[in-house]
Amino acid sequence: MRARSWMKQALWLTGASAVLLLASSDAGAAAPAAPRVDTCVQCHRALPAKLGAPAAAMANDIHAQKGLSCVNCHGGDPASFDIKIAKSKEKGYIGRPKPAQIPALCDKCHGDLAFMRRFNPSIAVDQFKAYQTSVHGKRLAQGDVKVATCASCHGAHGILPAAHANSSVYAPSVAKTCARCHSDKEYMKDYKIPTNQLENYLQSVHADLLINKRELSAPSCNDCHGNHGAFPPAVDSVSGMCGQCHVNNRDLFVKSPHKAAFEKMKVPECVVCHSNHKVVRVSEEMIGDTRPALCVMCHPPGSQPLKVAAGMRKRIEDLKGLIQRATSELDAAEHRGMEVSEAKFSMKEARTTLIKVRTQVHSLALKEVEKEAEGGTKIAKSALATALAAIEEFYARRRWVILPIILTVLMAGLLFLKLREVEGGPRGRT
């Protein structure tokens, strides 16, 4: 009797401990735990190529790292080794989601603020709402299943964080990800939109900075069109789009005569001069009253706008030339060992002013350009005067150094001749 009672107590304690252990385990979980028995992964890992690839891709998948597994998207019962039970509709198995199902499926987690805070408190949870306002989302709602959904850009398995260098949505990779559809002429033929965006973008200064030089603040497709809420900018909102980065240019443009004129003509603001995808590095040659200046494309010869353009070009060229000459003379003075560091430092402000003058061009106000250029001109002239004075001082010092040397050599020569004369006298008399 005593032994039976001891066994009952032991079983009760074991059971109670197990319940407490499970309870404490659940309470402490910060993420949805992966199934303890995950038959989906175990079976698919053993399957060949196409069927085994999804399980293999989970090794680096951000969802798997956070404790999610196949069941969280596909449903089913991962605890059963019976395929009929594991893939039964009664267990919630949906198989491969259809394109139309994918945004809402992802939103089950990504639209749940409380759930997503477990992983990243600052992450956005309105992607699905934004997607529904996008061209992609609207067309999907109309039954067009060719349009991009979440999986089209992020992938289905092996999804990496956006900041991962190998992610398809890592900033330098975005253009090529979009181009998978948008550069495919056959795929895009029904939409009647250009398919050369990637080709043009790769020739732009934006692509050079972002892809070649890894300047991650440079724009890609989603910076102008949006990502989840992707939509082409309206013609009268382009300056606002570009102004996200080029703030001063935007502010000057909206006050310029071009703003009203472009709205009246229904042309896309900044794109008129800078293009959209093929935005090349700007230069002084873009403005003026003769080709290749862009101004002559719209304004007739001899017109007031072209006179203003020519005036702005001259102010820029004058300041640029003055800065180049001052810099060259300062380098020459420094090369000769003269102290011109303060003047060289001041040239940084002159170069900054040149940038401001170039920016001021967007105002189309010649007086404002002249006013801006005046400060830089004053600095550059002062630096040039310092450089020329330093070089003059160098040659003056050299003259004063050479003269004593010449006199010394002359005296030495005379002394030598005198000694020869003294030494030769007695021998001659002897």
Side-chain angles (χ1 to χ4, degrees):
M1 291 292 290
R2 285 184 179 179
R4 188 177 296 173
S5 175
W6 179 85
M7 287 182 66
K8 283 183 177 179
Q9 290 179 5
L11 287 170
W12 185 87
L13 288 171
T14 302
S17 300
V19 169
L20 288 172
L21 183 61
L22 288 172
S24 63
S25 174
D26 289 344
R36 289 185 174 85
V37 179
D38 199 339
T39 58
C40 311
V41 174
Q42 292 179 30
C43 289
H44 276 269
R45 275 179 181 163
L47 294 173
K50 187 176 180 180
L51 294 175
M58 290 187 69
N60 298 317
D61 188 288
I62 183 64
H63 295 127
Q65 292 172 10
K66 300 298 181 184
L68 301 176
S69 191
C70 315
V71 63
N72 297 100
C73 296
H74 298 281
D77 183 358
S80 175
F81 281 93
D82 186 332
I83 193 169
K84 290 183 179 178
I85 297 175
K87 291 188 171 183
S88 67
K89 289 184 178 179
E90 289 74 18
K91 296 290 185 178
Y93 181 71
I94 64 169
R96 181 179 182 176
K98 296 178 180 176
Q101 296 176 302
I102 290 175
L105 180 64
C106 297
D107 187 58
K108 285 170 57 181
C109 293
H110 284 272
D112 187 333
L113 179 60
F115 179 78
M116 294 305 294
R117 274 183 175 171
R118 299 178 181 182
F119 313 105
N120 183 353
S122 63
I123 196 170
V125 291
D126 61 347
Q127 295 99 329
F128 185 44
K129 289 180 181 177
Y131 178 78
Q132 289 173 310
T133 67
S134 72
V135 174
H136 297 144
K138 287 180 177 178
R139 294 192 71 95
L140 184 69
Q142 294 166 1
D144 183 356
V145 295
K146 287 177 63 180
V147 296
T149 65
C150 317
S152 308
C153 303
H154 295 275
H157 304 101
I159 296 174
L160 299 173
H164 194 290
N166 292 330
S167 169
S168 55
V169 293
Y170 183 53
S173 303
V174 167
K176 289 186 178 178
T177 297
C178 298
R180 292 200 298 239
C181 295
H182 284 273
S183 290
D184 189 332
K185 292 181 181 178
E186 181 61 26
Y187 194 80
M188 299 298 294
K189 66 180 181 182
D190 296 332
Y191 301 105
K192 303 186 188 312
I193 59 176
T195 54
N196 61 351
Q197 297 95 332
L198 179 64
E199 178 186 345
N200 286 335
Y201 175 75
L202 291 177
Q203 299 176 59
S204 73
V205 64
H206 293 150
D208 181 48
L209 291 171
L210 180 60
I211 298 175
N212 299 331
K213 298 174 180 169
R214 284 307 198 243
E215 290 282 352
L216 299 184
S217 59
S220 190
C221 314
N222 58 317
D223 293 289
C224 299
H225 295 279
N227 40 26
H228 303 105
F231 206 88
V235 292
D236 59 351
S237 65
V238 171
S239 62
M241 201 66 65
C242 300
Q244 293 178 100
C245 300
H246 303 283
V247 179
N248 293 330
N249 303 32
R250 185 268 316 278
D251 291 348
L252 292 169
F253 170 80
V254 297
K255 297 175 183 174
S256 76
H258 272 166
K259 174 65 175 173
F262 287 1
E263 283 186 355
K264 186 177 180 180
M265 296 165 65
K266 299 187 185 304
V267 294
E269 303 188 326
C270 316
V271 172
V272 174
C273 298
H274 296 281
S275 183
N276 49 7
H277 302 108
K278 191 178 178 180
V279 180
V280 299
R281 194 175 294 278
V282 295
S283 69
E284 274 67 70
E285 287 72 26
M286 293 176 69
I287 61 168
D289 59 349
T290 57
R291 292 184 179 278
L294 301 174
C295 314
V296 302
M297 294 169 57
C298 300
H299 300 288
S303 62
Q304 183 59 25
L306 282 193
K307 291 178 182 176
V308 171
M312 293 192 297
R313 170 75 174 275
K314 185 176 186 309
R315 300 302 180 279
I316 293 174
E317 295 288 2
D318 287 349
L319 179 56
K320 188 171 72 170
L322 187 57
I323 289 174
Q324 288 174 344
R325 188 185 170 201
T327 302
S328 175
E329 296 293 354
L330 285 168
D331 289 342
E334 187 177 51
H335 181 71
R336 289 169 170 79
M338 304 304 292
E339 170 51 47
V340 290
S341 59
E342 188 173 340
K344 289 198 74 172
F345 185 78
S346 73
M347 291 305 295
K348 291 183 178 178
E349 188 174 348
R351 294 188 192 95
T352 301
T353 302
L354 178 59
I355 294 172
K356 290 179 180 178
V357 174
R358 287 166 170 158
T359 302
Q360 193 69 42
V361 165
H362 294 88
S363 71
L364 306 180
L366 180 56
K367 287 186 177 178
E368 294 301 318
V369 172
E370 291 175 335
K371 183 179 176 183
E372 196 72 68
E374 189 178 342
T377 301
K378 187 177 179 181
I379 295 169
K381 281 185 175 179
S382 176
L384 176 60
T386 300
L388 294 176
I391 293 173
E392 177 59 28
E393 184 181 345
F394 167 79
Y395 285 113
R397 288 180 185 176
R398 194 162 71 172
R399 284 194 292 274
W400 284 108
V401 170
I402 291 175
L403 183 60
I405 293 174
I406 293 174
L407 291 174
T408 302
V409 171
L410 184 61
M411 290 296 292
L414 293 173
L415 182 60
F416 175 74
L417 293 173
K418 186 63 178 177
L419 289 173
R420 288 283 304 270
E421 181 183 350
V422 171
E423 290 173 353
R427 281 200 299 271
R429 288 193 293 274
T430 302

